[in-house]
Amino acid sequence: MSRVVVVGSVNADLLARVAVHPAPGETVLGRSMSVLAGGKGANQAVAAARLGTEVAFVGAVGDDSFAGQATAGLRAAGVDLSALTTVPGPTGIALVTVSADGENSIVVIPGANAAVAADTVSAHAATVAGADVVVLQGEIPRAAIETAARLARGRVVLNLAPVIELDADVIRRADPLVVNEHEARLALSLVGGQDVPDDDHAAAARALTGAGVASVVITLGSAGAVVATRSRTTEGDAEVVVTTVPSPKVSAVDTTGAGDAFVGALASRLAAGDDLLDAARLAARVGAYAVTGIGAQPSYPSSTDTLPEVR
């Protein structure tokens, strides 16, 4: 059995590099264009596998010419693809534009990812149930996510990105729920959490745990992350501990897939037995490494690469 199983999306990324992003109605000249392997699920699987973790992937590609390009990174990283399904029609596509300052804008066309159904996941129930860590994201249909979460016997890492409607009990199974600062507010509404100020990330993490989520990681890009965990006081009462995890300072080249690098690294370290805070510290360094390279999967470190340090 694989230690980490990722149930999620796989795309071919059509990446265009530009000096600046075009404004509505504006045409700009691009500097280059390439086709890279992507998709949040595939990115996270590759990130974990490149760090030396045994990873299996559950998802779907189309029967078009993009399928081979979309899965090239998974194959190169040694991810088990025996649960990858081929369906009639197009593979998922992401149209990615990256500006000179490393910021990106992305349009995702789901393609075959929309065909990942509850039955698709149930067909690989033993794979999902046997994993130490099951990683899920929001780029596949709701039924598939909910089925995987309920089949999981190990730890569920739910990266609710994009935020889609899910049963509150499924979100509460997450340990951790991983969201960025904007997604955190939307996730709060799904679990009936108390509203908090937009810029109070610690309060958002506390509110999510207060609404029943086992643990929470709110990613903040170059500012690192906020981690909320539960602990017991000396009197035996439960309390929520919120900790800020800093990110190393690096010169960003391309931020595409950095969040996925963080999630993949987080899952890798949780499967290895790290506690959530230590796993998040390593994940922040992996995410920082990723923004120094071009594209998503090609920028991810291997277990032998030197990661940037927090100074």
Side-chain angles (χ1 to χ4, degrees):
M1 295 293 182
S2 296
R3 306 208 57 185
V4 171
V5 170
V6 179
V7 182
S9 58
V10 53
N11 294 330
D13 286 356
L14 278 59
L15 188 150
R17 297 190 63 79
V18 296
V20 295
H21 291 287
E26 181 185 15
T27 298
V28 299
L29 292 177
R31 295 177 171 178
S32 65
M33 188 273 181
S34 53
V35 180
L36 303 173
K40 293 190 71 65
N43 289 348
Q44 292 167 10
V46 169
R50 284 183 57 80
L51 293 174
T53 303
E54 293 181 6
V55 181
F57 185 82
V58 180
V61 292
D63 57 2
D64 60 354
S65 60
F66 282 121
Q69 293 165 303
T71 57
L74 290 163
R75 298 182 193 281
V79 175
D80 179 355
L81 297 181
S82 57
L84 179 70
T85 302
T86 300
V87 299
T91 297
I93 294 290
L95 307 176
V96 184
T97 304
V98 181
S99 59
D101 61 2
E103 288 299 321
N104 62 59
S105 63
I106 304 173
V107 176
V108 175
I109 303 165
N113 296 309
V116 181
D119 288 349
T120 310
V121 178
S122 296
H124 304 286
T127 298
V128 176
D132 295 322
V133 176
V134 176
V135 184
L136 308 168
Q137 329 78 33
E139 285 189 341
I140 57 174
R142 169 180 181 169
I145 297 168
E146 293 178 344
T147 299
R150 289 168 177 149
L151 286 171
R153 297 293 177 265
R155 192 166 190 163
V156 173
V157 175
L158 173 59
N159 177 212
L160 196 51
V163 177
I164 63 172
E165 192 81 24
L166 292 177
D167 285 349
D169 75 287
V170 168
I171 299 174
R172 294 188 183 105
R173 288 172 184 254
D175 188 14
L177 171 68
V178 184
V179 286
N180 67 23
E181 55 195 295
H182 309 295
E183 295 155 353
R185 274 74 190 173
L186 297 174
L188 268 171
S189 67
L190 295 179
V191 293
Q194 182 179 1
D195 196 21
V196 298
D198 287 347
D199 59 350
D200 194 337
H201 312 307
R206 287 184 185 277
L208 284 163
T209 54
V213 181
S215 61
V216 176
V217 177
I218 299 178
T219 58
L220 304 172
S222 61
V226 168
V227 178
T229 56
R230 299 178 187 275
S231 66
R232 291 282 176 184
T233 66
T234 54
E235 291 78 20
D237 299 322
E239 67 173 358
V240 176
V241 178
V242 178
T243 307
T244 298
V245 174
S247 175
K249 303 304 179 187
V250 297
S251 296
V253 174
D254 180 0
T255 59
T256 305
D260 296 332
F262 182 102
V263 173
L266 189 78
S268 172
R269 295 315 308 163
L270 291 174
D274 283 7
D275 66 27
L276 180 57
L277 193 54
D278 285 342
R281 289 184 177 118
L282 186 282
R285 297 172 63 201
V286 170
Y289 182 102
V291 304
T292 64
I294 300 295
Q297 295 174 25
S299 71
Y300 295 166
S302 71
S303 57
T304 58
D305 285 318
T306 300
L307 301 176
E309 298 280 356
V310 175
R311 302 188 186 283

